[in-house]
């Protein structure tokens, strides 16, 4: 920290700092909470940020800051504001950092201004103002505020009342010992993998240990996010780990339960894969709907108005959050049932609970979509097309044919294609080429569905229908094959593909767009993979060839997807965000 006598010296000092480092300007008269300064000056997600009397700039915003400071030297010396008062709709802060923040906004560099709530940040100019500011600082415990703000603002009932009251203190303990959120996230993954291994023993003691360890893993899963918010340690790697490890933990635990049941003579692999498919389809419904309406204009849905009204009544908020079976409630249910019942009962409960939650959320989204009068943007159409994950076959169809006009043709075509392939997988003679023909029809209909921009009221249904068609086809063909270990191999393939689909969602959420087209082409797109599995089922009807082929397919998809995903998330273009979105 270096003191500057005036704005001219401040400009010289800033210019001397290496270009790769963050810099901050703080008015020497500043009075406020330490956590207010922390919020304003240390959050790594923003190129520039400001609170009253303080301004920070990351390396990418440094040139704009220096230009503004040099322009401001004469104006500040004359007592004039750097930009017109109130420019950009921001309350005027006549300190040097405040004027520079306005200048940066005017130049096009977005300046983040964090909400301080009860925290104080002021630059008093008179003794009575300084005394008042110091009194305000003394009246509020900024450490208590920091602990409260470490907890996600909107969370599930179980997490809010049974985890967060103590996990925030674990987060603080970790922060004081120099632990990072990524280390806690990794510990959560390791704990969940040990839980899955305990479940795989197939013994009652193993099941009890698995339930306890799964809950401990969830506590750590909450702690990593709270630690990130408490210490403002957001990172690109953290965003990737936090977003993907939850799915890895849950799928590994399902596999552990299935292995444990097999040791006891009960084959529940179909149930395990069914639970994974249902959960993934639930999530893509949420993701697709949110992306379709991310920047929609003229929202006049009475259903949305009713939802807002219900949210104003305390008990309905918690009831509605519990109905959707978020990750806290879901993992608590899985842990308890694992300890006291059998894997089969766990999966039955999971399938029933997730099905009811899916019906509730999907019905609400359908009503909102049908009753709202909104114009969807090009950005929403692009996001839905990316979520659709269409490969070369569907794209080739889309270049030759165009779907008919009409508001509901896209979801109807997608649903018709899904119905054809899933029905063929279920009812056509196994090992025949009729299913392959149905997969070809599915590729044509899915190509037609995305041949025009997805801007219709229900076009957000297209990606989840494609997910259900692909995943269910793989599940059904593996289950009907009667080939040893075909369903576990299918479990691996769906896991690899689902990872790709979640990775697509998190990239879009971060504002960096979908994975590159070469990746989608390489792994075939949803219609290409569905056709490939249908061909394998028809060609490899005897022996273990189908299992071997599914395993090799899963390994190839996982290798390509993981290598590209890791390359992206450790690159400089990845978004430094922490997931604060929907209940997972």
């Amino acid at each position: 920290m270096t003191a500057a006598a005036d704005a001219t010296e401040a400009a010289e000092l800033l210019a001397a700092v290496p270009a790769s480092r963050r810099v901050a300007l703080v008015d020497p008269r500043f009075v406020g909470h330490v956590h207010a300064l922390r919020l304003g000056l240390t959050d790594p997600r923003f190129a520039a940020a400001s609170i009253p009397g303080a301004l920070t700039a990351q390396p990418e915003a440094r040139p704009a800051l220096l230009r503004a400071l040099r322009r401001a030297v004469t104006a500040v010396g004359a007592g004039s504001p750097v930009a017109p008062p109130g420019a950009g709709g921001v309350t005027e802060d006549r300190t040097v950092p405040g004027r520079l923040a306005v200048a940066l906004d005017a130049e096009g560099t977005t300046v983040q201004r964090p909400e301080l709530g009860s925290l104080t940040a002021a630059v008093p100019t008179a003794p009575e103002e300084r005394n008042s500011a110091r009194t305000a600082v003394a009246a509020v415990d900024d450490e208590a505020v920091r602990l409260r703000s470490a907890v996600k603002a909107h969370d599930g009932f179980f997490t809010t009342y049974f985890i967060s009251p103590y996990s925030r203190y674990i987060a603080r303990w970790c922060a004081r010992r120099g632990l990072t959120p990524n280390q806690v996230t990794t510990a959560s993954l390791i704990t969940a993998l040990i839980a899955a291994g305990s479940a795989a023993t197939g013994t009652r003691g193993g099941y009890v240990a698995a339930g306890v360890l799964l809950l401990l893993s969830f506590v750590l899963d909450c702690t990593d996010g709270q630690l990130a918010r408490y210490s403002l340690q957001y990172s690109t790697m953290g965003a990737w780990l936090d977003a993907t490890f939850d799915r890895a933990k849950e799928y590994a635990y399902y596999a552990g339960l299935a292995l444990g049941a097999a040791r006891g003579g009960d084959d529940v692999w179909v149930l395990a894969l069914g639970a994974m498919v249902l959960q993934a389809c639930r999530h893509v419904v949420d993701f697709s709907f949110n992306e379709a309406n991310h920047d929609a204009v003229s929202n006049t849905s009475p259903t949305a108005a009713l939802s807002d009204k219900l949210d104003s009544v305390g008990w309905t908020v918690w009831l509605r959050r519990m109905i959707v079976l978020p990750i806290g409630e879901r993992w608590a249910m899985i842990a308890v049932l694992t300890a006291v019942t059998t894997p089969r009962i766990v999966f039955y409960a999971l399938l029933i609970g997730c099905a009811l939650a899916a019906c509730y959320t999907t019905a609400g989204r359908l009503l909102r979509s049908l009753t709202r009068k909104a114009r969807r943007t090009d950005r929403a159409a692009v996001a839905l097309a990316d979520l659709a994950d269409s490969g070369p076959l569907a794209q080739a169809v889309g270049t030759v044919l165009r779907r008919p006009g009409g508001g509901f043709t896209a979801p109807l075509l997608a649903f018709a294609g899904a119905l054809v392939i899933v029905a063929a997988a279920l009812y056509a003679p196994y090992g025949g080429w009729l299913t392959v023909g149905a997969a070809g029809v599915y590729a044509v209909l899915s190509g037609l569905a995305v041949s025009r921009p997805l801007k219709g009221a229900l076009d957000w249904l297209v990606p989840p229908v494609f997910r259900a068609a692909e995943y269910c086809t793989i599940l059904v063909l593996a289950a009907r094959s009667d080939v040893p270990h075909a369903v576990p191999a299918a479990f691996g393939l769906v896991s690899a593909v689902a990872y790709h689909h979640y990775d697509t969602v998190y990239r879009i959420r971060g504002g960096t767009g979908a994975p590159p087209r070469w990746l989608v082409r390489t792994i075939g797109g949803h219609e290409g993979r569905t056709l490939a599995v249908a061909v394998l089922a028809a060609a490899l009807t005897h022996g273990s060839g189908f299992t071997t082929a599914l395993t090799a397919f899963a390994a190839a998809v996982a290798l390509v997807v993981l290598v590209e995903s890791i390359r992206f998330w450790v690159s400089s273009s990845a978004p430094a965000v922490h997931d604060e979105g929907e209940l997972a």
Side-chain angles (χ1 to χ4, degrees):
M1 180 182 297
T2 306
D6 52 31
T8 302
E9 186 178 355
E12 294 172 353
L13 290 172
L14 288 179
V17 176
S20 60
R21 295 179 59 184
R22 172 201 283 262
V23 295
L25 286 171
V26 181
D27 192 293
R29 300 166 297 173
F30 177 86
V31 175
H33 288 96
V34 173
H35 192 52
L37 280 175
R38 189 181 292 113
L39 289 171
L41 303 182
T42 65
D43 195 322
R45 295 173 295 176
F46 311 109
S50 177
I51 60 173
L55 171 70
T56 185
Q58 297 269 39
E60 59 267 31
R62 286 270 305 276
L65 173 61
L66 280 174
R67 288 194 300 270
L69 186 54
R70 285 165 180 159
R71 288 196 308 268
V73 168
T74 303
V76 170
S80 304
V82 176
V90 179
T91 302
E92 185 181 3
D93 174 3
R94 293 185 61 83
T95 65
V96 172
R99 291 169 172 175
L100 292 175
V102 175
L104 289 177
D105 276 326
E107 186 178 323
T109 300
T110 301
V111 178
Q112 173 70 14
R113 292 172 173 82
E115 292 290 338
L116 298 181
S118 59
L119 297 175
T120 297
V123 181
T125 57
E128 59 272 17
E129 292 177 352
R130 178 169 295 275
N131 291 334
S132 177
R134 287 174 173 170
T135 300
V137 170
V140 176
D141 183 352
D142 71 339
E143 179 61 20
V145 173
R146 188 181 181 190
L147 274 173
R148 285 197 304 270
S149 62
V151 177
K152 190 183 292 187
H154 302 287
D155 225 328
F157 179 85
F158 179 77
T159 304
T160 299
Y161 290 102
F162 293 92
I163 304 296
S164 294
Y166 57 88
S167 61
R168 69 185 73 182
Y169 294 101
I170 300 176
R172 181 171 67 180
W173 183 89
C174 292
R176 291 177 175 177
R177 282 152 185 81
L179 297 177
T180 68
N182 292 351
Q183 290 171 331
V184 178
T185 302
T186 304
S188 175
L189 174 66
I190 293 172
T191 304
L193 294 179
I194 296 173
S198 299
T201 62
T203 64
R204 177 52 52 194
Y207 289 147
V208 172
V212 173
L213 288 169
L214 186 65
L215 287 177
L216 177 58
S217 174
F218 182 65
V219 172
L220 293 174
D221 183 54
C222 295
T223 300
D224 66 356
Q226 292 166 359
L227 175 58
R229 288 182 286 272
Y230 180 86
S231 57
L232 299 177
Q233 295 184 73
Y234 303 102
S235 67
T236 55
M237 180 64 73
W240 175 58
L241 295 179
D242 187 67
T244 58
F245 276 12
D246 281 349
R247 304 288 81 80
K249 289 181 285 190
E250 196 160 8
Y251 296 166
Y253 194 81
Y254 291 174
L257 285 175
L259 288 170
R263 287 180 176 271
D266 189 12
D267 187 353
V268 297
W269 274 106
V270 170
L271 296 177
L273 181 50
M276 183 170 70
V277 168
L278 181 55
Q279 188 62 25
C281 290
R282 273 189 64 202
H283 280 153
V284 77
V285 166
D286 296 338
F287 298 147
S288 187
F289 177 81
N290 290 338
E291 288 304 322
N293 297 283
H294 177 76
D295 49 6
V297 296
S298 302
N299 179 13
T300 57
S301 167
T303 308
L306 175 61
S307 178
D308 293 339
K309 185 176 181 180
L310 288 175
D311 280 343
S312 65
V313 182
W315 67 271
T316 64
V317 174
W318 294 117
L319 179 62
R320 296 171 71 204
R321 290 186 190 178
M322 294 172 67
I323 287 175
V324 301
L325 203 64
I327 188 170
E329 278 75 359
R330 190 167 70 251
W331 282 25
M333 180 186 74
I334 294 172
V336 172
L337 291 179
T338 298
V340 301
T341 64
T342 65
R344 181 171 290 271
I345 293 176
V346 173
F347 286 123
Y348 281 151
L350 193 58
L351 286 167
I352 293 170
C354 288
L356 292 175
C359 289
Y360 170 78
T361 55
T362 305
R365 283 158 172 69
L366 285 170
L367 286 173
R368 288 192 182 200
S369 299
L370 292 172
T371 57
R372 76 186 302 167
K373 299 184 185 303
R375 184 177 68 256
R376 290 182 171 83
T377 63
D378 292 336
R379 178 202 173 280
V382 170
L384 289 180
D386 291 334
L387 289 174
D389 191 36
S390 299
L393 292 177
Q395 289 182 334
V397 171
T399 59
V400 176
L401 303 173
R402 286 289 186 268
R403 74 168 185 263
F408 303 128
T409 54
L412 286 175
L413 285 167
F415 183 77
L419 188 62
V420 167
I421 182 58
V422 174
L426 277 169
Y427 300 114
Y430 184 82
W433 291 91
L434 182 59
T435 304
V436 177
V441 173
Y442 170 67
V444 172
L445 292 176
S446 62
L448 279 172
V450 297
S451 61
R452 295 182 188 273
L454 298 173
K455 291 187 176 182
L458 297 181
D459 285 3
W460 57 268
L461 285 170
V462 171
V465 169
F466 287 165
R467 295 297 82 75
E470 179 184 2
Y471 297 168
C472 289
T473 299
I474 296 172
L475 167 59
V476 171
L477 290 178
R480 291 190 64 196
S481 68
D482 288 329
V483 176
H485 310 303
V487 180
F491 187 97
L493 176 58
V494 173
S495 297
V497 174
Y499 176 87
H500 163 62
H501 291 144
Y502 280 108
D503 187 52
T504 301
V505 168
Y506 296 131
R507 294 196 199 201
I508 293 173
R509 275 184 171 182
T512 56
R517 287 303 308 168
W518 70 260
L519 175 65
V520 177
R521 289 194 296 268
T522 300
I523 60 177
H526 67 93
E527 80 288 350
R529 290 187 297 269
T530 303
L531 179 60
V533 173
V535 170
L536 292 175
L540 304 171
T541 56
H542 303 291
S544 60
F546 187 47
T547 298
T548 303
L550 283 180
T551 303
F553 194 9
V557 171
L559 178 63
V560 174
V561 167
L562 281 172
V563 168
E564 161 56 23
S565 178
I566 293 171
R567 181 209 64 77
F568 169 78
W569 285 103
V570 301
S571 70
S572 59
S573 61
V577 299
H578 192 82
D579 184 20
E580 298 285 349
E582 295 77 15
L583 307 178

